Amino acid sequence: GDLHGQLPDLLTIFVENGFPDPQGTQYVFNGDLVDRGAYSIEVLTLVLAYKLLYPETVHVNRGNHETESISTQYGLMNEVVQKYGSTHIFGLICQVFNQLPVCTVIDNSVVVVHGGVTRYDGITLAHLENVPREEADMYSTDQNALVLVDLLWTDPMPQWGRIEAGRAPGVVTFGPDVTANFLRSNGMGLLIRSH
């Protein structure tokens, strides 16, 4: 996770670990492909091209920077305008963001998600597959919208429980008990996150 437009880093990962290959190296890109670095478009294009070429080998999760509001604020929109002279392509990219999955399951035992678990008990992996993918609205009162916010934004904490003390207004942090309950209720053994 968190390549943030750093094309040299992506290429180094491929050179050192192998390029995506159905008979070899597989990848999960856990969000935040864009913003901050100078090559967000190139990183996004290369990762998505590999996803199209090897759909069972390359997995791409949505991160909090794969949203219109954050990628407008942190550089992707400016990069698109600088390189293409228009915001039209930025709008198309945001439509792609809204189609990205929010988690990947590996070997029926590992959940990979950009942020973390949600503020609600009883959320299943099936629910996550069906959560609406529109813009993540931290100020929403709709449970499904807040589940998306949580999957993209939450952070762990060492204390048990959940508290609203995250890195942005309305963002929740979660304890090891919340992670354990989520994993147990979904028959999973491990949660991997980035953010």
Side-chain angles (χ1 to χ4, degrees), residues 37-96:
Y39 303 101
S40 291
I41 295 168
E42 292 81 358
V43 167
L44 183 63
T45 302
L46 184 56
V47 168
L48 291 177
Y50 271 122
K51 175 64 178 169
L52 291 171
L53 186 61
Y54 303 125
E56 301 301 319
T57 301
V58 175
H59 308 278
V60 184
N61 286 345
R62 186 178 186 181
N64 63 307
H65 281 261
E66 281 77 43
T67 60
E68 183 176 357
S69 59
I70 296 299
S71 59
T72 296
Q73 183 179 355
Y74 285 93
L76 177 61
M77 186 178 75
N78 288 339
E79 181 181 338
V80 169
V81 170
Q82 179 185 29
K83 291 178 179 177
Y84 298 103
S86 166
T87 60
H88 177 71
I89 291 175
F90 177 72
L92 296 173
I93 290 170
C94 290
Q95 289 179 35
V96 171

CSV table of all heavy atoms in Angstrom, one decimal, residues 37-96:
chain,number,residue,atom,x,y,z
A,37,GLY,N,3.3,12.0,-5.0
A,37,GLY,CA,4.4,11.8,-5.9
A,37,GLY,C,4.1,12.4,-7.3
A,37,GLY,O,2.9,12.8,-7.6
A,38,ALA,N,5.1,12.5,-8.1
A,38,ALA,CA,5.0,13.1,-9.4
A,38,ALA,C,4.4,12.2,-10.5
A,38,ALA,O,4.2,12.7,-11.6
A,38,ALA,CB,6.4,13.7,-9.8
A,39,TYR,N,4.3,10.9,-10.2
A,39,TYR,CA,3.9,10.0,-11.2
A,39,TYR,C,2.6,9.2,-10.9
A,39,TYR,O,2.6,8.0,-11.2
A,39,TYR,CB,5.1,9.0,-11.5
A,39,TYR,CG,6.3,9.7,-11.9
A,39,TYR,CD1,7.3,9.9,-11.0
A,39,TYR,CD2,6.5,10.2,-13.2
A,39,TYR,CE1,8.5,10.6,-11.3
A,39,TYR,CE2,7.6,10.9,-13.5
A,39,TYR,CZ,8.6,11.1,-12.6
A,39,TYR,OH,9.8,11.8,-13.0
A,40,SER,N,1.7,9.8,-10.3
A,40,SER,CA,0.4,9.1,-9.9
A,40,SER,C,-0.2,8.5,-11.1
A,40,SER,O,-0.7,7.4,-11.1
A,40,SER,CB,-0.5,10.1,-9.3
A,40,SER,OG,-0.1,10.5,-8.0
A,41,ILE,N,-0.3,9.2,-12.2
A,41,ILE,CA,-1.0,8.7,-13.4
A,41,ILE,C,-0.2,7.5,-14.0
A,41,ILE,O,-0.9,6.5,-14.3
A,41,ILE,CB,-1.1,9.8,-14.5
A,41,ILE,CG1,-2.0,10.9,-14.0
A,41,ILE,CG2,-1.6,9.2,-15.8
A,41,ILE,CD1,-1.9,12.2,-14.9
A,42,GLU,N,1.1,7.5,-14.0
A,42,GLU,CA,1.8,6.4,-14.5
A,42,GLU,C,1.7,5.2,-13.6
A,42,GLU,O,1.6,4.1,-14.0
A,42,GLU,CB,3.3,6.8,-14.6
A,42,GLU,CG,3.5,7.8,-15.7
A,42,GLU,CD,3.3,9.3,-15.4
A,42,GLU,OE1,2.8,9.6,-14.2
A,42,GLU,OE2,3.5,10.2,-16.2
A,43,VAL,N,1.8,5.4,-12.3
A,43,VAL,CA,1.6,4.3,-11.3
A,43,VAL,C,0.2,3.7,-11.5
A,43,VAL,O,0.1,2.4,-11.6
A,43,VAL,CB,1.8,4.8,-9.8
A,43,VAL,CG1,1.4,3.7,-8.8
A,43,VAL,CG2,3.3,5.1,-9.6
A,44,LEU,N,-0.8,4.5,-11.5
A,44,LEU,CA,-2.2,4.0,-11.6
A,44,LEU,C,-2.3,3.2,-13.0
A,44,LEU,O,-2.9,2.1,-13.0
A,44,LEU,CB,-3.2,5.2,-11.5
A,44,LEU,CG,-4.6,4.8,-11.6
A,44,LEU,CD1,-5.0,3.9,-10.4
A,44,LEU,CD2,-5.5,6.0,-11.6
A,45,THR,N,-1.8,3.8,-14.0
A,45,THR,CA,-2.0,3.2,-15.4
A,45,THR,C,-1.2,1.8,-15.4
A,45,THR,O,-1.8,0.8,-15.9
A,45,THR,CB,-1.4,4.1,-16.4
A,45,THR,OG1,-2.1,5.3,-16.4
A,45,THR,CG2,-1.5,3.5,-17.8
A,46,LEU,N,0.0,1.8,-14.9
A,46,LEU,CA,0.7,0.5,-14.9
A,46,LEU,C,0.1,-0.6,-14.0
A,46,LEU,O,-0.1,-1.7,-14.5
A,46,LEU,CB,2.2,0.8,-14.4
A,46,LEU,CG,3.1,-0.4,-14.5
A,46,LEU,CD1,3.2,-1.0,-15.9
A,46,LEU,CD2,4.5,0.0,-14.0
A,47,VAL,N,-0.4,-0.2,-12.8
A,47,VAL,CA,-1.0,-1.2,-12.0
A,47,VAL,C,-2.3,-1.7,-12.6
A,47,VAL,O,-2.6,-2.9,-12.6
A,47,VAL,CB,-1.3,-0.6,-10.6
A,47,VAL,CG1,-2.2,-1.4,-9.7
A,47,VAL,CG2,0.1,-0.4,-9.8
A,48,LEU,N,-3.1,-0.7,-13.1
A,48,LEU,CA,-4.4,-1.2,-13.7
A,48,LEU,C,-4.2,-2.0,-15.0
A,48,LEU,O,-5.0,-2.9,-15.3
A,48,LEU,CB,-5.3,0.1,-14.0
A,48,LEU,CG,-5.8,0.8,-12.8
A,48,LEU,CD1,-6.6,2.0,-13.1
A,48,LEU,CD2,-6.6,-0.2,-11.9
A,49,ALA,N,-3.1,-1.7,-15.8
A,49,ALA,CA,-2.8,-2.4,-16.9
A,49,ALA,C,-2.5,-3.9,-16.6
A,49,ALA,O,-3.0,-4.8,-17.2
A,49,ALA,CB,-1.7,-1.8,-17.7
A,50,TYR,N,-1.7,-4.0,-15.5
A,50,TYR,CA,-1.4,-5.4,-15.0
A,50,TYR,C,-2.6,-6.1,-14.5
A,50,TYR,O,-2.8,-7.3,-14.6
A,50,TYR,CB,-0.3,-5.4,-14.0
A,50,TYR,CG,1.1,-5.5,-14.5
A,50,TYR,CD1,2.1,-4.5,-14.3
A,50,TYR,CD2,1.5,-6.6,-15.3
A,50,TYR,CE1,3.3,-4.6,-14.8
A,50,TYR,CE2,2.8,-6.7,-15.8
A,50,TYR,CZ,3.7,-5.7,-15.6
A,50,TYR,OH,4.9,-5.8,-16.1
A,51,LYS,N,-3.5,-5.3,-13.9
A,51,LYS,CA,-4.8,-5.9,-13.4
A,51,LYS,C,-5.6,-6.4,-14.6
A,51,LYS,O,-6.2,-7.5,-14.5
A,51,LYS,CB,-5.6,-4.9,-12.6
A,51,LYS,CG,-6.9,-5.3,-12.1
A,51,LYS,CD,-6.9,-6.5,-11.2
A,51,LYS,CE,-8.3,-6.9,-10.7
A,51,LYS,NZ,-8.2,-8.2,-10.0
A,52,LEU,N,-5.7,-5.7,-15.6
A,52,LEU,CA,-6.4,-6.1,-16.8
A,52,LEU,C,-5.7,-7.3,-17.5
A,52,LEU,O,-6.4,-8.2,-18.0
A,52,LEU,CB,-6.5,-5.0,-17.8
A,52,LEU,CG,-7.5,-3.8,-17.4
A,52,LEU,CD1,-7.3,-2.7,-18.3
A,52,LEU,CD2,-8.9,-4.3,-17.3
A,53,LEU,N,-4.4,-7.3,-17.5
A,53,LEU,CA,-3.6,-8.4,-18.1
A,53,LEU,C,-3.7,-9.7,-17.3
A,53,LEU,O,-3.9,-10.8,-17.9
A,53,LEU,CB,-2.2,-7.9,-18.3
A,53,LEU,CG,-1.2,-8.9,-19.1
A,53,LEU,CD1,-1.7,-9.1,-20.5
A,53,LEU,CD2,0.2,-8.3,-19.1
A,54,TYR,N,-3.6,-9.5,-16.0
A,54,TYR,CA,-3.6,-10.7,-15.1
A,54,TYR,C,-4.6,-10.5,-14.0
A,54,TYR,O,-4.2,-10.3,-12.8
A,54,TYR,CB,-2.2,-10.9,-14.5
A,54,TYR,CG,-1.1,-11.1,-15.5
A,54,TYR,CD1,0.1,-10.3,-15.5
A,54,TYR,CD2,-1.1,-12.1,-16.5
A,54,TYR,CE1,1.1,-10.4,-16.4
A,54,TYR,CE2,-0.1,-12.2,-17.4
A,54,TYR,CZ,1.0,-11.4,-17.4
A,54,TYR,OH,2.0,-11.5,-18.3
A,55,PRO,N,-5.9,-10.6,-14.3
A,55,PRO,CA,-6.9,-10.3,-13.2
A,55,PRO,C,-6.8,-11.2,-12.0
A,55,PRO,O,-7.3,-10.8,-10.9
A,55,PRO,CB,-8.2,-10.5,-14.0
A,55,PRO,CG,-7.9,-11.3,-15.2
A,55,PRO,CD,-6.4,-11.0,-15.5
A,56,GLU,N,-6.3,-12.4,-12.1
A,56,GLU,CA,-6.2,-13.3,-11.0
A,56,GLU,C,-4.9,-13.2,-10.2
A,56,GLU,O,-4.7,-13.8,-9.2
A,56,GLU,CB,-6.5,-14.7,-11.4
A,56,GLU,CG,-7.8,-15.0,-12.0
A,56,GLU,CD,-9.0,-14.6,-11.2
A,56,GLU,OE1,-9.0,-14.9,-9.9
A,56,GLU,OE2,-9.9,-13.9,-11.7
A,57,THR,N,-4.0,-12.4,-10.8
A,57,THR,CA,-2.6,-12.3,-10.2
A,57,THR,C,-2.4,-10.9,-9.6
A,57,THR,O,-1.7,-10.8,-8.6
A,57,THR,CB,-1.6,-12.5,-11.4
A,57,THR,OG1,-1.8,-13.8,-11.9
A,57,THR,CG2,-0.2,-12.3,-10.9
A,58,VAL,N,-3.1,-9.9,-10.0
A,58,VAL,CA,-2.9,-8.5,-9.5
A,58,VAL,C,-4.3,-8.1,-8.9
A,58,VAL,O,-5.3,-8.2,-9.6
A,58,VAL,CB,-2.5,-7.5,-10.6
A,58,VAL,CG1,-2.5,-6.1,-10.1
A,58,VAL,CG2,-1.1,-7.9,-11.2
A,59,HIS,N,-4.2,-7.7,-7.7
A,59,HIS,CA,-5.4,-7.2,-7.0
A,59,HIS,C,-5.2,-5.8,-6.5
A,59,HIS,O,-4.1,-5.4,-6.0
A,59,HIS,CB,-5.7,-8.1,-5.8
A,59,HIS,CG,-5.7,-9.5,-6.2
A,59,HIS,ND1,-6.9,-10.1,-6.7
A,59,HIS,CD2,-4.8,-10.5,-6.2
A,59,HIS,CE1,-6.6,-11.4,-7.0
A,59,HIS,NE2,-5.3,-11.6,-6.7
A,60,VAL,N,-6.2,-4.9,-6.7
A,60,VAL,CA,-6.1,-3.5,-6.4
A,60,VAL,C,-7.2,-3.1,-5.5
A,60,VAL,O,-8.4,-3.1,-5.9
A,60,VAL,CB,-6.1,-2.6,-7.7
A,60,VAL,CG1,-5.9,-1.2,-7.3
A,60,VAL,CG2,-5.1,-3.1,-8.7
A,61,ASN,N,-6.9,-2.7,-4.2
A,61,ASN,CA,-7.8,-2.2,-3.3
A,61,ASN,C,-7.9,-0.7,-3.3
A,61,ASN,O,-6.9,-0.1,-3.7
A,61,ASN,CB,-7.5,-2.7,-1.9
A,61,ASN,CG,-7.8,-4.1,-1.6
A,61,ASN,OD1,-8.4,-4.8,-2.4
A,61,ASN,ND2,-7.2,-4.6,-0.5
A,62,ARG,N,-9.0,-0.2,-3.0
A,62,ARG,CA,-9.2,1.2,-2.9
A,62,ARG,C,-8.7,1.7,-1.5
A,62,ARG,O,-8.9,1.1,-0.5
A,62,ARG,CB,-10.7,1.6,-3.0
A,62,ARG,CG,-11.0,3.0,-3.1
A,62,ARG,CD,-12.5,3.2,-3.2
A,62,ARG,NE,-12.8,4.6,-3.4
A,62,ARG,CZ,-14.1,5.1,-3.6
A,62,ARG,NH1,-15.1,4.2,-3.6
A,62,ARG,NH2,-14.3,6.3,-3.8
A,63,GLY,N,-8.0,2.8,-1.6
A,63,GLY,CA,-7.5,3.5,-0.4
A,63,GLY,C,-8.2,4.8,-0.2
A,63,GLY,O,-9.0,5.3,-1.1
A,64,ASN,N,-7.9,5.5,0.8
A,64,ASN,CA,-8.6,6.8,1.1
A,64,ASN,C,-8.2,7.9,0.0
A,64,ASN,O,-8.9,8.8,-0.2
A,64,ASN,CB,-8.3,7.3,2.5
A,64,ASN,CG,-6.9,7.6,2.8
A,64,ASN,OD1,-6.0,6.7,2.6
A,64,ASN,ND2,-6.6,8.8,3.3
A,65,HIS,N,-7.0,7.7,-0.6
A,65,HIS,CA,-6.6,8.6,-1.7
A,65,HIS,C,-7.3,8.3,-3.0
A,65,HIS,O,-7.2,9.1,-3.9
A,65,HIS,CB,-5.1,8.7,-1.8
A,65,HIS,CG,-4.5,9.5,-0.8
A,65,HIS,ND1,-4.1,10.8,-1.0
A,65,HIS,CD2,-4.2,9.3,0.5
A,65,HIS,CE1,-3.6,11.3,0.2
A,65,HIS,NE2,-3.7,10.4,1.1
A,66,GLU,N,-8.0,7.2,-3.1
A,66,GLU,CA,-8.7,6.9,-4.3
A,66,GLU,C,-10.1,7.4,-4.2
A,66,GLU,O,-11.1,6.7,-4.4
A,66,GLU,CB,-8.7,5.4,-4.6
A,66,GLU,CG,-7.4,4.9,-5.3
A,66,GLU,CD,-6.2,4.8,-4.3
A,66,GLU,OE1,-6.4,4.3,-3.2
A,66,GLU,OE2,-5.1,5.3,-4.7
A,67,THR,N,-10.2,8.6,-3.8
A,67,THR,CA,-11.5,9.3,-3.7
A,67,THR,C,-11.3,10.7,-4.3
A,67,THR,O,-10.2,11.3,-4.4
A,67,THR,CB,-12.0,9.5,-2.2
A,67,THR,OG1,-11.0,10.3,-1.5
A,67,THR,CG2,-12.2,8.2,-1.5
A,68,GLU,N,-12.4,11.2,-4.9
A,68,GLU,CA,-12.3,12.5,-5.6
A,68,GLU,C,-11.9,13.6,-4.6
A,68,GLU,O,-11.0,14.4,-5.0
A,68,GLU,CB,-13.7,12.9,-6.2
A,68,GLU,CG,-13.7,14.2,-7.0
A,68,GLU,CD,-15.0,14.5,-7.7
A,68,GLU,OE1,-15.9,13.7,-7.6
A,68,GLU,OE2,-15.0,15.5,-8.3
A,69,SER,N,-12.4,13.7,-3.4
A,69,SER,CA,-12.1,14.8,-2.5
A,69,SER,C,-10.6,14.8,-2.1
A,69,SER,O,-9.9,15.8,-2.2
A,69,SER,CB,-13.0,14.8,-1.3
A,69,SER,OG,-12.8,13.6,-0.6
A,70,ILE,N,-10.1,13.6,-1.8
A,70,ILE,CA,-8.7,13.6,-1.3
A,70,ILE,C,-7.7,13.7,-2.5
A,70,ILE,O,-6.7,14.4,-2.4
A,70,ILE,CB,-8.4,12.2,-0.5
A,70,ILE,CG1,-9.3,12.2,0.7
A,70,ILE,CG2,-7.0,12.1,-0.2
A,70,ILE,CD1,-9.0,13.3,1.7
A,71,SER,N,-8.0,13.1,-3.6
A,71,SER,CA,-7.1,13.2,-4.7
A,71,SER,C,-7.1,14.6,-5.4
A,71,SER,O,-6.2,15.0,-6.1
A,71,SER,CB,-7.3,12.1,-5.8
A,71,SER,OG,-8.6,12.2,-6.3
A,72,THR,N,-8.2,15.4,-5.1
A,72,THR,CA,-8.2,16.8,-5.5
A,72,THR,C,-7.3,17.6,-4.6
A,72,THR,O,-6.5,18.4,-5.1
A,72,THR,CB,-9.7,17.3,-5.4
A,72,THR,OG1,-10.5,16.6,-6.4
A,72,THR,CG2,-9.7,18.8,-5.7
A,73,GLN,N,-7.4,17.3,-3.3
A,73,GLN,CA,-6.6,18.0,-2.3
A,73,GLN,C,-5.1,17.7,-2.4
A,73,GLN,O,-4.3,18.6,-2.1
A,73,GLN,CB,-7.2,17.8,-0.9
A,73,GLN,CG,-6.5,18.5,0.2
A,73,GLN,CD,-7.2,18.2,1.5
A,73,GLN,OE1,-8.2,17.5,1.6
A,73,GLN,NE2,-6.6,18.7,2.6
A,74,TYR,N,-4.8,16.5,-2.6
A,74,TYR,CA,-3.4,16.0,-2.5
A,74,TYR,C,-2.6,15.8,-3.8
A,74,TYR,O,-1.5,15.3,-3.7
A,74,TYR,CB,-3.3,14.8,-1.6
A,74,TYR,CG,-3.5,15.1,-0.1
A,74,TYR,CD1,-4.8,15.0,0.4
A,74,TYR,CD2,-2.5,15.5,0.7
A,74,TYR,CE1,-5.0,15.3,1.7
A,74,TYR,CE2,-2.7,15.8,2.0
A,74,TYR,CZ,-4.0,15.7,2.5
A,74,TYR,OH,-4.2,16.0,3.8
A,75,GLY,N,-3.1,16.3,-4.9
A,75,GLY,CA,-2.3,16.4,-6.1
A,75,GLY,C,-2.6,15.7,-7.3
A,75,GLY,O,-2.2,16.1,-8.4
A,76,LEU,N,-3.5,14.6,-7.3
A,76,LEU,CA,-3.8,13.9,-8.6
A,76,LEU,C,-4.4,14.8,-9.6
A,76,LEU,O,-4.1,14.9,-10.7
A,76,LEU,CB,-4.6,12.7,-8.3
A,76,LEU,CG,-5.0,11.9,-9.6
A,76,LEU,CD1,-3.8,11.4,-10.4
A,76,LEU,CD2,-6.0,10.8,-9.3
A,77,MET,N,-5.4,15.6,-9.1
A,77,MET,CA,-6.2,16.5,-10.1
A,77,MET,C,-5.2,17.5,-10.7
A,77,MET,O,-5.2,17.7,-11.9
A,77,MET,CB,-7.3,17.2,-9.4
A,77,MET,CG,-8.1,18.0,-10.5
A,77,MET,SD,-9.5,18.9,-9.8
A,77,MET,CE,-8.7,20.2,-9.0
A,78,ASN,N,-4.3,18.1,-9.9
A,78,ASN,CA,-3.3,19.0,-10.5
A,78,ASN,C,-2.4,18.3,-11.5
A,78,ASN,O,-2.0,18.9,-12.5
A,78,ASN,CB,-2.5,19.7,-9.4
A,78,ASN,CG,-3.4,20.7,-8.6
A,78,ASN,OD1,-4.4,21.2,-9.1
A,78,ASN,ND2,-3.0,21.0,-7.4
A,79,GLU,N,-2.0,17.1,-11.2
A,79,GLU,CA,-1.1,16.3,-12.1
A,79,GLU,C,-1.8,16.1,-13.4
A,79,GLU,O,-1.2,16.2,-14.5
A,79,GLU,CB,-0.7,15.0,-11.4
A,79,GLU,CG,0.2,14.2,-12.3
A,79,GLU,CD,0.6,12.9,-11.7
A,79,GLU,OE1,0.6,12.7,-10.4
A,79,GLU,OE2,1.0,12.0,-12.4
A,80,VAL,N,-3.1,15.7,-13.3
A,80,VAL,CA,-3.9,15.4,-14.6
A,80,VAL,C,-4.0,16.7,-15.4
A,80,VAL,O,-3.7,16.7,-16.6
A,80,VAL,CB,-5.3,14.9,-14.2
A,80,VAL,CG1,-6.2,14.9,-15.4
A,80,VAL,CG2,-5.2,13.5,-13.6
A,81,VAL,N,-4.3,17.8,-14.8
A,81,VAL,CA,-4.4,19.1,-15.5
A,81,VAL,C,-3.1,19.5,-16.1
A,81,VAL,O,-3.0,20.0,-17.2
A,81,VAL,CB,-5.0,20.2,-14.5
A,81,VAL,CG1,-4.9,21.6,-15.2
A,81,VAL,CG2,-6.4,19.9,-14.2
A,82,GLN,N,-2.0,19.3,-15.3
A,82,GLN,CA,-0.7,19.7,-15.8
A,82,GLN,C,-0.3,18.8,-17.0
A,82,GLN,O,0.3,19.3,-18.0
A,82,GLN,CB,0.4,19.5,-14.7
A,82,GLN,CG,1.8,19.9,-15.1
A,82,GLN,CD,2.8,19.6,-14.0
A,82,GLN,OE1,2.6,18.7,-13.2
A,82,GLN,NE2,3.9,20.3,-14.0
A,83,LYS,N,-0.6,17.5,-17.0
A,83,LYS,CA,-0.1,16.6,-18.0
A,83,LYS,C,-1.1,16.6,-19.2
A,83,LYS,O,-0.7,16.3,-20.3
A,83,LYS,CB,0.1,15.2,-17.5
A,83,LYS,CG,1.3,15.2,-16.5
A,83,LYS,CD,1.5,13.8,-15.9
A,83,LYS,CE,2.7,13.8,-15.0
A,83,LYS,NZ,2.9,12.5,-14.3
A,84,TYR,N,-2.4,16.9,-19.0
A,84,TYR,CA,-3.4,16.7,-20.0
A,84,TYR,C,-4.2,18.0,-20.3
A,84,TYR,O,-5.0,18.0,-21.2
A,84,TYR,CB,-4.4,15.5,-19.7
A,84,TYR,CG,-3.6,14.2,-19.6
A,84,TYR,CD1,-3.3,13.7,-18.4
A,84,TYR,CD2,-3.2,13.6,-20.8
A,84,TYR,CE1,-2.6,12.5,-18.3
A,84,TYR,CE2,-2.5,12.4,-20.7
A,84,TYR,CZ,-2.2,11.8,-19.4
A,84,TYR,OH,-1.5,10.6,-19.3
A,85,GLY,N,-4.1,19.0,-19.5
A,85,GLY,CA,-4.7,20.3,-19.8
A,85,GLY,C,-6.2,20.3,-19.5
A,85,GLY,O,-6.9,21.3,-20.0
A,86,SER,N,-6.7,19.3,-18.8
A,86,SER,CA,-8.2,19.3,-18.6
A,86,SER,C,-8.4,18.4,-17.3
A,86,SER,O,-7.6,17.5,-17.0
A,86,SER,CB,-8.9,18.7,-19.8
A,86,SER,OG,-10.2,18.3,-19.5
A,87,THR,N,-9.6,18.6,-16.7
A,87,THR,CA,-10.0,17.8,-15.6
A,87,THR,C,-10.9,16.6,-16.1
A,87,THR,O,-11.3,15.8,-15.3
A,87,THR,CB,-10.8,18.6,-14.6
A,87,THR,OG1,-12.0,19.1,-15.2
A,87,THR,CG2,-10.0,19.7,-14.0
A,88,HIS,N,-11.1,16.5,-17.4
A,88,HIS,CA,-12.0,15.4,-17.9
A,88,HIS,C,-11.4,14.0,-17.5
A,88,HIS,O,-12.2,13.2,-17.0
A,88,HIS,CB,-12.2,15.5,-19.4
A,88,HIS,CG,-13.0,14.4,-20.0
A,88,HIS,ND1,-14.3,14.3,-19.8
A,88,HIS,CD2,-12.6,13.3,-20.7
A,88,HIS,CE1,-14.8,13.2,-20.4
A,88,HIS,NE2,-13.7,12.6,-20.9
A,89,ILE,N,-10.2,13.8,-17.7
A,89,ILE,CA,-9.5,12.5,-17.4
A,89,ILE,C,-9.6,12.3,-15.9
A,89,ILE,O,-9.8,11.2,-15.4
A,89,ILE,CB,-8.1,12.5,-18.0
A,89,ILE,CG1,-8.2,12.4,-19.5
A,89,ILE,CG2,-7.3,11.3,-17.4
A,89,ILE,CD1,-6.8,12.4,-20.2
A,90,PHE,N,-9.4,13.4,-15.1
A,90,PHE,CA,-9.6,13.2,-13.7
A,90,PHE,C,-10.9,12.7,-13.3
A,90,PHE,O,-11.0,11.8,-12.4
A,90,PHE,CB,-9.3,14.5,-13.0
A,90,PHE,CG,-9.5,14.5,-11.5
A,90,PHE,CD1,-8.6,13.8,-10.7
A,90,PHE,CD2,-10.6,15.1,-10.9
A,90,PHE,CE1,-8.7,13.7,-9.3
A,90,PHE,CE2,-10.8,15.0,-9.5
A,90,PHE,CZ,-9.8,14.3,-8.7
A,91,GLY,N,-12.0,13.2,-13.9
A,91,GLY,CA,-13.3,12.6,-13.6
A,91,GLY,C,-13.5,11.2,-14.0
A,91,GLY,O,-14.1,10.4,-13.3
A,92,LEU,N,-12.8,10.8,-15.1
A,92,LEU,CA,-12.9,9.4,-15.5
A,92,LEU,C,-12.1,8.5,-14.5
A,92,LEU,O,-12.5,7.4,-14.1
A,92,LEU,CB,-12.3,9.2,-16.9
A,92,LEU,CG,-13.1,9.9,-18.0
A,92,LEU,CD1,-12.3,9.8,-19.3
A,92,LEU,CD2,-14.5,9.3,-18.1
A,93,ILE,N,-11.0,9.0,-14.0
A,93,ILE,CA,-10.2,8.3,-13.0
A,93,ILE,C,-11.0,8.1,-11.8
A,93,ILE,O,-11.0,7.0,-11.2
A,93,ILE,CB,-8.9,9.0,-12.7
A,93,ILE,CG1,-7.9,8.9,-13.9
A,93,ILE,CG2,-8.2,8.4,-11.5
A,93,ILE,CD1,-6.7,9.8,-13.8
A,94,CYS,N,-11.7,9.1,-11.4
A,94,CYS,CA,-12.6,9.0,-10.1
A,94,CYS,C,-13.7,8.0,-10.3
A,94,CYS,O,-14.0,7.3,-9.4
A,94,CYS,CB,-13.1,10.4,-9.8
A,94,CYS,SG,-11.9,11.5,-9.2
A,95,GLN,N,-14.2,7.8,-11.5
A,95,GLN,CA,-15.2,6.8,-11.8
A,95,GLN,C,-14.5,5.4,-11.6
A,95,GLN,O,-15.2,4.5,-11.1
A,95,GLN,CB,-15.7,6.9,-13.2
A,95,GLN,CG,-16.7,8.1,-13.4
A,95,GLN,CD,-17.2,8.2,-14.8
A,95,GLN,OE1,-17.4,7.2,-15.4
A,95,GLN,NE2,-17.4,9.5,-15.3
A,96,VAL,N,-13.3,5.3,-12.0
A,96,VAL,CA,-12.6,4.0,-11.8
A,96,VAL,C,-12.4,3.8,-10.3
A,96,VAL,O,-12.6,2.6,-9.8
A,96,VAL,CB,-11.2,4.0,-12.5
A,96,VAL,CG1,-10.4,2.8,-12.1
A,96,VAL,CG2,-11.4,4.0,-14.0
